[in-house]
Amino acid sequence: MNQKKVYCSISGHQLANKIQDDKLNYQTYEKLLEYFDEVHIFARSYERDDIEEFNKIFFHYNKVPKNGLLKYLLSIYKIVKNVKKLHQKYSFSLLDASEPTTGGVAGIILNKILNIPLVVQ
């Protein structure tokens, strides 16, 4: 029996409000579907706090304020909370932090709590 492979990207980057407008990143996410059954992107947003799906690519918007330090701390907190909660539903196979600060810190915390392999770029 093949186990489902689910990619989970965690980042401090701001997701575009309309993800289809972010063509370069969207092409990258589509390419990941050649290796994974689902792709989940967790990142900050200043306007949205929801999930959007396009063809097995899930965008998890985590609304935070635009304020400097508060923006980073809340991003880490909300991403850790949401990935931990949704791991029960999706069973993430790999955590990928696209930068060492916000995503990296969240990734290290999640790696320790959930025991999922972590890659920090």
Side-chain angles (χ1 to χ4, degrees), residues 29-83:
Y29 306 145
E30 283 183 317
K31 192 72 172 166
L32 285 165
L33 287 173
E34 292 179 14
Y35 305 97
F36 294 92
D37 299 303
E38 291 178 4
V39 171
H40 292 259
I41 312 299
F42 289 82
R44 80 169 54 105
S45 171
Y46 300 128
E47 299 173 15
R48 300 176 62 173
D49 206 12
D50 59 353
I51 301 171
E52 192 170 12
E53 180 192 356
F54 294 98
N55 187 33
K56 297 185 183 180
I57 304 171
F58 297 80
F59 299 94
H60 301 266
Y61 294 88
N62 295 273
K63 187 176 180 181
V64 297
K66 292 182 181 180
N67 181 327
L69 182 59
L70 189 57
K71 167 179 70 177
Y72 293 108
L73 294 174
L74 275 175
S75 293
I76 292 167
Y77 170 76
K78 288 185 92 170
I79 289 170
V80 167
K81 178 182 150 200
N82 289 331
V83 170

